[in-house]
């Protein structure tokens, strides 16, 4: 008898298999993103080791950036609370949690805009100096990720409000959570390397 | 169409993890402003930030409860990132 061997995951239904593929693909995407940020952090550290001048923590608005760090950490907490709520079938607070995360993301971007304005107008940094080039590319790319995350969060909040998620249907919000936490994780590294070890 | 067919885990309270992250960040900023000698400060700050990043990955991204393959995918570049940062930041 010639029997066809069962494929791995053949016991899963098509939607469950699709969810597994989405998560697997997204983890691959995040790992490639991590390498991009790793390269940029490395470039900043190398640039710093050859630079004649480098701003101190105070010149880099450490207090403002610390507040921004707390904003991002808090936004991660609200995303986890949203995912935990939807997993346990309590969908009512989900849009509120996600909306809070989005607004915290907006506040982070506003803080970054203030920081950039200070660095450019008061400290006189820009793409003309080695610090400015390395700093603005790294933190700017991260800010772009936050911006994309904010837009995504508003979309997720709208879908959550329309009761699109449930205890058996939450992969989309989970994938958004992975992205948002990744942005937070990268910021933890940037905050230490760029602002604290300066 | 979404359809998660996994049994929900009993997760560690995210509020506890958040509190640890919050306190660790205060310690980092405090140590920087207190003027701790650079030889001590840099390894300490890097260690704290790696622990914080690990907490986010394990408990916020639920890597601790996920399939091993996701961990392997993510930890491999993370190991390179850690190695690069340690070498460049401490030299």
């Amino acid at each position: 008898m010639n029997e066809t061997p069962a494929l791995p995951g053949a016991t899963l239904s098509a939607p469950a298999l699709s969810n597994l593929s989405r998560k697997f693909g997204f983890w691959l995407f995040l790992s490639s993103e991590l390498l991009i940020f790793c390269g940029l952090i490395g470039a900043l550290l190398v640039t710093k080791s050859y630079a004649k001048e480098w701003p101190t923590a105070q010149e880099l608005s450490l207090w403002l950036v610390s507040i921004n760090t707390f904003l991002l950490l808090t936004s991660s907490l609200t995303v986890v609370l949203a995912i935990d709520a939807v997993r346990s079938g309590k969908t009512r607070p989900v849009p509120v949690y996600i909306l809070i995360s989005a607004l915290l993301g907006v506040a982070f971007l506003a803080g970054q805009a203030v920081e950039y304005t200070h660095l450019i107008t008061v400290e006189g940094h820009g793409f003309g100096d080695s610090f400015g080039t390395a700093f603005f590319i790294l933190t700017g790319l991260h800010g772009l990720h936050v911006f994309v995350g904010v837009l995504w969060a508003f979309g997720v909040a709208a879908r959550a409000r329309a009761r699109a998620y449930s205890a058996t249907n939450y992969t989309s919000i989970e994938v958004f959570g992975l992205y948002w936490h990744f942005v937070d994780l990268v910021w933890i590294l940037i905050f230490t390397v760029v602002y604290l070890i300066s | 169409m979404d359809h998660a067919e996994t049994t929900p885990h009993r997760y560690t309270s995210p509020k506890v993890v958040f509190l640890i992250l919050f306190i660790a960040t205060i310690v980092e900023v405090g140590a920087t402003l207190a003027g701790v000698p650079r030889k001590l400060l840099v390894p300490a700050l890097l260690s704290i930030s790696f622990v914080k990043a690990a907490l986010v990955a394990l408990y916020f991204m639920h890597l601790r409860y996920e399939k091993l393959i996701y961990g392997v995918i993510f930890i491999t570049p993370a190991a390179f990132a850690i190695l690069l940062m340690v070498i460049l930041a401490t030299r």
Side-chain angles (χ1 to χ4, degrees), chain A residues 2 37 46 57 79 88-89 119 179 186 192 195:
Chain A
N2 191 9
F37 278 106
V46 171
V79 168
S88 54
L119 275 173
Y179 177 82
V186 168
T192 302
Y195 296 94

Side-chain angles (χ1 to χ4, degrees), chain A residues 29-83:
Chain A
F29 165 72
L30 292 182
S31 63
S32 65
E33 286 267 279
L34 186 62
L35 283 174
I36 291 170
F37 278 106
C38 168
L40 289 174
I41 290 172
L44 181 127
L45 289 170
V46 171
T47 307
K48 185 184 159 192
S49 66
Y50 288 104
K52 288 176 188 162
E53 284 183 4
W54 202 261
T56 61
Q58 275 75 12
E59 286 169 341
L60 289 171
S61 320
L62 184 61
W63 285 110
L64 174 68
V65 180
S66 301
I67 292 167
N68 258 2
T69 304
F70 290 122
L71 292 177
L72 220 50
L73 287 175
T74 311
S75 72
S76 261
L77 174 70
T78 48
V79 168
V80 180
L81 292 175
I83 293 170

Side-chain angles (χ1 to χ4, degrees), chain A residues 80-156:
Chain A
V80 180
L81 292 175
I83 293 170
D84 284 358
V86 78
R87 271 177 193 271
S88 54
K90 297 169 195 157
T91 52
R92 203 178 164 83
V94 175
V96 179
Y97 282 139
I98 299 294
L99 203 59
I100 291 171
S101 302
L103 294 176
L104 288 168
V106 170
F108 176 90
L109 290 173
Q112 200 169 37
V114 172
E115 180 202 358
Y116 278 15
T117 307
H118 172 79
L119 275 173
I120 294 166
T121 57
V122 180
E123 302 291 339
H125 291 293
F127 282 102
D129 60 284
S130 53
F131 162 77
T133 308
F135 175 86
F136 288 119
I137 288 177
L138 174 60
T139 58
L141 184 67
H142 180 268
L144 185 67
H145 278 73
V146 176
F147 179 71
V148 170
V150 165
L151 294 182
W152 193 351
F154 281 124
V156 170

